[in-house]
C-alpha cells in the first residue's frame, strides 16, 4: 500500500512538472483532437443556408512561434522589459582629455561648453527614443520591401463568398495555415507580394471573394553589438530596428568609440558601414540598414580628432577621416559666424607646441590643407577689435532747426560744419549758441568717471560716519539722520546717467561752430532760439522770465524776489544754453571779493540761474551753547595753568 501511494505521489509530481494535472491534460488532448478533427474535416461553419462561409481561427500548432503570454513582446517588438538592457539608465556626460584641453584654449569655465560633435544627438536618442517606443503607442509603418520571416504575424481578411478574419503566425517552416485552404509559404516574400501570394492560394478553393493581407505583430530579433560601446553584448530589438536602434540599446559609443566607423556584419560579410556624420549633417539614412537575426553591429575605435573654436556657427570637437581638410572642418562646423573674419584662421598643432605653437592660415589659399590629430582651429571675430577711425565713413544724426533733419553718412575727416551743410543749413529760428553735440565715446568715458567719483564719494561718507564720535543721545540721533540722508543721496545719484554732451564753447556774440572732426554715432541738435531765463532754488518766486537784451543776472534775481534768508548767496551759479557754467566762486579774485561780478554779468537767452540752499545752518541757541562750552573749557585751562605756576 505504501509503495502504491509513493508511486501515485511521484506520478502526480511528474504531471505537475509537465505543466498540467491529469484531468486537465486529458481534457486538453481531447479538446485538441476535437478541434483538429473539426478543422480537418470542414474547417468552416455555415451561418445560414446560402450565406457566406465563415472560416474559424485555427488552434495553435505545436512548434509554431506564437508568443507566450509571459513573453509577449512590448511595443517595440523586442519581448524585453524597458530598461532590461540598461539603455534606459541615466546617462551622465563624460569629458575626454582633448575636450578639456579645447575648453581651456577657448577660455570656457564650463567643461561641457565645447563637446564632441554628435554626443548631444546620441544622448537625446538614448534618453528619449527608447522611452518613446516603450511608453507611447508606437506603431511604425511597415515598409513594402519588408521580408517576412518565421515568427511574424500575418493578418488575413476575406469577404464575399467567404468571410474570415484570421491572425496567423509564420511557423518555422515559413508557412501559414488557412482553414479549408491549407498551408501557404510566405517566408522570404516581401510585404508587397504577400496579398497576391495568399490570394492565389485561396482562389484554388473559393471563388467570388476579396482578400487583404498585411503584417501584424512583428517578431523580435537578437543581434550583437561589439567594439567600443558602453554595454557590448547581445541585445533584443524588433524586426524593424536599424543600426541606430541597436546602438541605442547598447548605450551608444564610448569616448573611445567612433561615430564614423560603425559596421553591420552578417556572417563574414560587411553589409554596410554607417557614418553618423552623414545622418547628423546631411540627414542621409541610406546606410542605416534594417537588422536581421544574429547580425553584428561593430563600433571601431575613434579616429583623428580636431577642434574648431571662435567665430563659427558650431564650435565643437570633430572626428576626421583620412584626407579631410580645413574646408571640410569648416563645413562640418556650419561655416563662419556672421561677424567672423573669413580671410584667415589660426592653427594650433600639438607637434608645434615647443616651437612656433600657433600658425596663421590664409583663406581660401589654405582651405585644402590637411589636418592632423589634435589640431585646434580658431576663427577670429572681425568686429571685436577697433578699426582706424580715419579711414571709416561716419554715420551722424542732425536734428532741430535745419532744413533737412535726419541721419547722414559722411566721408572720413568730416566736421560739424560738413554735417550742417548736408542737412541743408540752419533755419532762421536756429539758436547756434545753444547747439547740443553728443558723442558716444564721450558718454562712455563720462559714465566711467562718474561711477569712480560716486564710489569715492560713498567711501568718504562712510569714513566720515565711522570716525565721528558722539557724546550724547542728541548727537547720536543727528548722526543717524545724516547717515540716512547720505544713503538716500547716493542712491539718487546712482540713477543719473551722463548723456555724452560736449561743450563747444561758442562765442554768443559771434556764434560759429568749431572745426571738430566727427565720429561714428555723433548727434547734433540745433535748438530754436529761447525767449526766457529761468531762476530756481532758494528765491521767493522761482520761475521763467522773459528775456530782455541788456539785463544782468542780478536783474533776474530781483524779478524772482531775491535770495531767501536760508540761501547761500556765495554759491550762485548760471547754466548757459551751450552747457557751460558760470558761478560766483569763479569770479572771486581775492579773499575779500564778494563775487558781485556774477551779478553784473549780462544774461543770455536760455540761461538758468540757480541759488542753492545753505547746508550748514545753526540757530542762535546752538551757537550760544557751543560758545559757552568753548569759553568754559578755556577758563578751566587757564585756571589749571595758574595752579601749576603757583
Amino acid at each position: 500500500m505504501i509503495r502504491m501511494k509513493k508511486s501515485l505521489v511521484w506520478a502526480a509530481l511528474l504531471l505537475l512538472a509537465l505543466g498540467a494535472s491529469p484531468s486537465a491534460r486529458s481534457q486538453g488532448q481531447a479538446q485538441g483532437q476535437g478541434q483538429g478533427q473539426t478543422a480537418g474535416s470542414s474547417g468552416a461553419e455555415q451561418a445560414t443556408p446560402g450565406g457566406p462561409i465563415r472560416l474559424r481561427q485555427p488552434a495553435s500548432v505545436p512548434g509554431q512561434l506564437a508568443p507566450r503570454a509571459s513573453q509577449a513582446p512590448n511595443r517595440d517588438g523586442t519581448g524585453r522589459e524597458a530598461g532590461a538592457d540598461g539603455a534606459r539608465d541615466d546617462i551622465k556626460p563624460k569629458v575626454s582629455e582633448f575636450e578639456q584641453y579645447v575648453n581651456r584654449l577657448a577660455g570656457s569655465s564650463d567643461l561641457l561648453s565645447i563637446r564632441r560633435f554628435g554626443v548631444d544627438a546620441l544622448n537625446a536618442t538614448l534618453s528619449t527614443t527608447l522611452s518613446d517606443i516603450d511608453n507611447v503607442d508606437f506603431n511604425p509603418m511597415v515598409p513594402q520591401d519588408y521580408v517576412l520571416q518565421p515568427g511574424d504575424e500575418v493578418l488575413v481578411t476575406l469577404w464575399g463568398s467567404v468571410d474570415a478574419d484570421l491572425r496567423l503566425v509564420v511557423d518555422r517552416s515559413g508557412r501559414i495555415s488557412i482553414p479549408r485552404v491549407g498551408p501557404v509559404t510566405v517566408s522570404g516574400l516581401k510585404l508587397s507580394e504577400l496579398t497576391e501570394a495568399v490570394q492565389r492560394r485561396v482562389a484554388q478553393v473559393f471563388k467570388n471573394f476579396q482578400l487583404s493581407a498585411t503584417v501584424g505583430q512583428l517578431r523580435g530579433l537578437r543581434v550583437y553589438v561589439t567594439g567600443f560601446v558602453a554595454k557590448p553584448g547581445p541585445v533584443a530589438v524588433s524586426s524593424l530596428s536599424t543600426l541606430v536602434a541597436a546602438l541605442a540599446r547598447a548605450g551608444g559609443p564610448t569616448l573611445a568609440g567612433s561615430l564614423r566607423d560603425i559596421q553591420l556584419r552578417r556572417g563574414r560579410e560587411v553589409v554596410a558601414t554607417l557614418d553618423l556624420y552623414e545622418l547628423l549633417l546631411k540627414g542621409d539614412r541610406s546606410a542605416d540598414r534594417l537588422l536581421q537575426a544574429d547580425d553584428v553591429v561593430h563600433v571601431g575605435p575613434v579616429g583623428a580628432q580636431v577642434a574648431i573654436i571662435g567665430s563659427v556657427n558650431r564650435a565643437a570637437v570633430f572626428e576626421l577621416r583620412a584626407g579631410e581638410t580645413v574646408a571640410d572642418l569648416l563645413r562640418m562646423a556650419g561655416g563662419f559666424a556672421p561677424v567672423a573674419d573669413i580671410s584667415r584662421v589660426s592653427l594650433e598643432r600639438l607637434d608645434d607646441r615647443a616651437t612656433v605653437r600657433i600658425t596663421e592660415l590664409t583663406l581660401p589659399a589654405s582651405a585644402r590643407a590637411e589636418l592632423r590629430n589634435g589640431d585646434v582651429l580658431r576663427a577670429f571675430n572681425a568686429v571685436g577689435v577697433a578699426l582706424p577711425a580715419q579711414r571709416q565713413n561716419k554715420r551722424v544724426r542732425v536734428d532741430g532747426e535745419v532744413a533737412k533733419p535726419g541721419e547722414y553718412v559722411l566721408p572720413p575727416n568730416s566736421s560739424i560744419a560738413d554735417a550742417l551743410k548736408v542737412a541743408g543749413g540752419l533755419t532762421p529760428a536756429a539758436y547756434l549758441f545753444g547747439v547740443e553735440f553728443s558723442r558716444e565715446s564721450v558718454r562712455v568715458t563720462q559714465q566711467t568717471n562718474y561711477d569712480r567719483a560716486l564710489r569715492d564719494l560713498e567711501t568718504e561718507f562712510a569714513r566720515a560716519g565711522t570716525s565721528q564720535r558722539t557724546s550724547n543721545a542728541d548727537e547720536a540721533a543727528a548722526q543717524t539722520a545724516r547717515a540716512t540722508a547720505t544713503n538716500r543721496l547716493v542712491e539718487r545719484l546712482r540713477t543719473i546717467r551722463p548723456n555724452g554732451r560736449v561743450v563747444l564753447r561758442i562765442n554768443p556774440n559771434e556764434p560759429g561752430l568749431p572745426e571738430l572732426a566727427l565720429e561714428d554715432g555723433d548727434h547734433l541738435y540745433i535748438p530754436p532760439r529761447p525767449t526766457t531765463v529761468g531762476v530756481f532754488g532758494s528765491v521767493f518766486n522761482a520761475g521763467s522770465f522773459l528775456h530782455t537784451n541788456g539785463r544782468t543776472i542780478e536783474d533776474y534775481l530781483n524779478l524772482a524776489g531775491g535770495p531767501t534768508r536760508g540761501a547761500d548767496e556765495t554759491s550762485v551759479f548760471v547754466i548757459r544754453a551751450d552747457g557751460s557754467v558760470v558761478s560766483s566762486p569763479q569770479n572771486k579774485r581775492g579773499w575779500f571779493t564778494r563775487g558781485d561780478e556774477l551779478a553784473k554779468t549780462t544774461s543770455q537767452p536760455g540761461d538758468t540761474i540757480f541759488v542753492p540752499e545753505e547746508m550748514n545752518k545753526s540757530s542762535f541757541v546752538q551757537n550760544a551753547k557751543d560758545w559757552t562750552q568753548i569759553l568754559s573749557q578755556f577758563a578751566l585751562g587757564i585756571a589749571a595753568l595758574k595752579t601749576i605756576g603757583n
Side-chain angles (χ1 to χ4, degrees):
M1 179 67 67
I2 295 174
R3 292 180 179 177
M4 185 178 297
K5 289 182 179 180
K6 289 183 178 180
S7 300
L8 292 175
V9 170
W10 281 110
L13 292 175
L14 180 61
L15 291 174
L16 289 175
L18 294 176
S21 64
S23 59
R25 187 181 179 87
S26 61
Q27 291 176 3
Q29 291 177 353
Q31 185 177 0
Q33 292 175 359
Q35 289 178 353
Q37 292 175 359
T38 304
S41 59
S42 62
E45 56 177 335
Q46 190 78 17
T48 57
I53 300 174
R54 291 191 176 90
L55 301 181
R56 293 186 299 178
Q57 178 76 26
S60 298
V61 180
Q64 258 185 337
L65 298 179
R68 301 179 186 175
S70 61
Q71 297 179 353
N74 56 12
R75 288 174 180 167
D76 61 357
T78 63
R80 305 185 64 180
E81 294 294 332
D85 53 7
R88 298 292 304 278
D89 298 337
D90 292 337
I91 303 168
K92 298 181 180 179
K94 299 179 180 179
V95 182
S96 65
E97 292 182 350
F98 185 61
E99 288 174 327
Q100 298 177 18
Y101 166 69
V102 172
N103 279 277
R104 285 196 299 269
L105 287 182
S108 174
S109 58
D110 183 10
L111 293 180
L112 299 179
S113 177
I114 299 177
R115 298 295 311 279
R116 181 183 175 190
F117 175 73
V119 169
D120 295 336
L122 286 177
N123 288 342
T125 300
L126 299 179
S127 60
T128 62
T129 302
L130 296 177
S131 176
D132 292 342
I133 293 175
D134 293 340
N135 300 328
V136 184
D137 190 9
F138 182 69
N139 250 335
M141 181 176 293
V142 182
Q144 291 297 313
D145 59 350
Y146 176 75
V147 179
L148 279 81
Q149 297 292 338
D152 288 336
E153 185 182 47
V154 178
L155 306 180
V156 180
T157 304
L158 297 97
W159 65 96
S161 63
V162 59
D163 188 6
D165 192 1
L166 307 174
R167 302 176 69 91
L168 309 172
V169 179
V170 183
D171 60 17
R172 289 174 180 168
S173 61
R175 301 179 300 176
I176 58 174
S177 182
I178 302 177
R180 293 198 62 183
V181 175
V184 182
T185 301
V186 296
S187 179
L189 294 179
K190 296 181 180 180
L191 178 59
S192 59
E193 304 170 347
L194 177 63
T195 301
E196 182 181 356
V198 176
Q199 187 172 9
R200 185 169 55 250
R201 181 67 180 86
V202 174
Q204 297 177 2
V205 181
F206 298 102
K207 305 295 181 183
N208 300 326
F209 69 92
Q210 294 183 4
L211 180 144
S212 173
T214 186
V215 177
Q217 182 69 50
L218 301 177
R219 69 188 185 280
L221 299 177
R222 183 185 63 179
V223 298
Y224 297 88
V225 183
T226 61
F228 293 87
V229 290
K231 297 176 182 177
V235 296
V237 293
S238 73
S239 56
L240 285 180
S241 297
T242 61
L243 283 168
V244 175
L247 284 176
R249 287 286 178 185
T254 61
L255 293 177
S258 174
L259 300 181
R260 310 194 66 179
D261 184 19
I262 303 171
Q263 296 179 351
L264 174 60
R265 299 179 179 179
R266 194 164 292 158
R268 295 185 177 181
E269 180 184 359
V270 178
V271 179
T273 300
L274 175 63
D275 184 356
L276 282 177
Y277 279 22
E278 295 293 322
L279 174 61
L280 298 175
L281 293 174
K282 301 178 182 179
D284 184 5
R285 285 194 58 191
S286 58
D288 191 17
R289 301 280 293 275
L290 286 174
L291 299 174
Q292 295 184 12
D294 295 329
D295 279 350
V296 176
V297 178
H298 182 74
V299 178
V302 64
Q305 295 188 76
V306 299
I308 184 168
I309 57 178
S311 294
V312 290
N313 291 320
R314 184 193 291 117
V317 175
F318 292 91
E319 180 182 351
L320 293 186
R321 285 182 168 178
E324 289 186 323
T325 62
V326 173
D328 297 324
L329 181 59
L330 287 171
R331 175 182 52 81
M332 289 187 287
F336 288 105
V339 297
D341 182 2
I342 63 175
S343 64
R344 61 193 180 97
V345 291
S346 68
L347 174 64
E348 183 163 348
R349 180 159 287 171
L350 293 177
D351 297 341
D352 299 335
R353 285 179 59 84
T355 56
V356 294
R357 194 171 72 88
I358 298 177
T359 57
E360 184 171 291
L361 304 179
T362 304
L363 298 179
S366 302
R368 296 184 178 273
E370 293 190 9
L371 298 172
R372 301 180 190 174
N373 191 20
D375 285 352
V376 178
L377 213 65
R378 184 189 297 270
F380 297 105
N381 190 325
V383 299
V385 293
L387 301 176
Q390 297 297 328
R391 294 183 294 177
Q392 300 177 14
N393 291 337
K394 308 300 187 297
R395 178 182 54 85
V396 298
R397 180 178 176 182
V398 183
D399 290 337
E401 296 297 324
V402 291
K404 296 182 295 181
E407 290 191 0
Y408 298 94
V409 177
L410 301 179
N413 300 323
S414 298
S415 63
I416 299 179
D418 297 329
L420 287 179
K421 187 182 298 182
V422 298
L426 302 174
T427 64
Y431 186 50
L432 195 59
F433 176 73
V435 62
E436 297 182 11
F437 180 72
S438 303
R439 175 165 287 178
E440 178 63 21
S441 61
V442 174
R443 188 197 66 79
V444 173
T445 305
Q446 287 177 347
Q447 185 67 53
T448 303
N449 296 333
Y450 181 77
D451 292 340
R452 184 185 299 111
L454 190 59
R455 288 194 300 268
D456 295 342
L457 180 63
E458 189 174 8
T459 303
E460 185 66 26
F461 283 156
R463 186 184 298 111
T466 55
S467 61
Q468 189 173 4
R469 298 180 180 180
T470 57
S471 58
N472 52 46
D474 294 338
E475 292 181 357
Q479 183 177 354
T480 303
R482 284 194 300 270
T484 303
T486 300
N487 292 333
R488 285 200 300 266
L489 175 62
V490 171
E491 292 300 325
R492 186 172 181 180
L493 291 175
R494 286 188 196 280
T495 61
I496 299 175
R497 292 291 180 266
N499 56 7
R501 182 176 180 180
V502 179
V503 179
L504 299 179
R505 299 295 296 173
I506 300 174
N507 188 352
N509 300 321
E510 297 179 0
L513 295 175
E515 288 294 327
L516 178 64
L518 294 173
E519 291 184 6
D520 189 65
D522 285 349
H523 181 202
L524 192 64
Y525 173 70
I526 312 296
R529 185 178 181 84
T531 59
T532 59
V533 173
V535 182
F536 301 98
S538 296
V539 293
F540 287 97
N541 185 23
S544 297
F545 302 92
L546 188 64
H547 176 264
T548 304
N549 292 330
R551 283 188 174 179
T552 62
I553 301 300
E554 186 177 13
D555 295 334
Y556 286 101
L557 286 174
N558 294 332
L559 290 176
T564 61
R565 183 185 298 271
D568 186 3
E569 299 183 24
T570 61
S571 300
V572 178
F573 61 92
V574 179
I575 302 176
R576 294 294 173 97
D578 65 341
S580 60
V581 177
V582 181
S583 64
S584 295
Q586 291 176 345
N587 292 280
K588 289 185 177 180
R589 298 179 180 177
W591 290 99
F592 302 101
T593 304
R594 297 184 57 187
D596 293 338
E597 293 186 5
L598 177 64
K600 297 177 181 179
T601 302
T602 304
S603 65
Q604 299 292 337
D607 283 352
T608 300
I609 305 170
F610 190 82
V611 182
E613 185 80 9
E614 178 68 39
M615 300 301 297
N616 296 324
K617 296 180 181 179
S618 60
S619 62
F620 176 77
V621 175
Q622 291 175 338
N623 292 333
K625 180 180 179 181
D626 293 339
W627 279 107
T628 301
Q629 291 179 352
I630 293 172
L631 293 175
S632 62
Q633 295 295 332
F634 182 71
L636 290 174
I638 293 176
L641 291 174
K642 185 176 181 181
T643 302
I644 294 172
N646 293 333

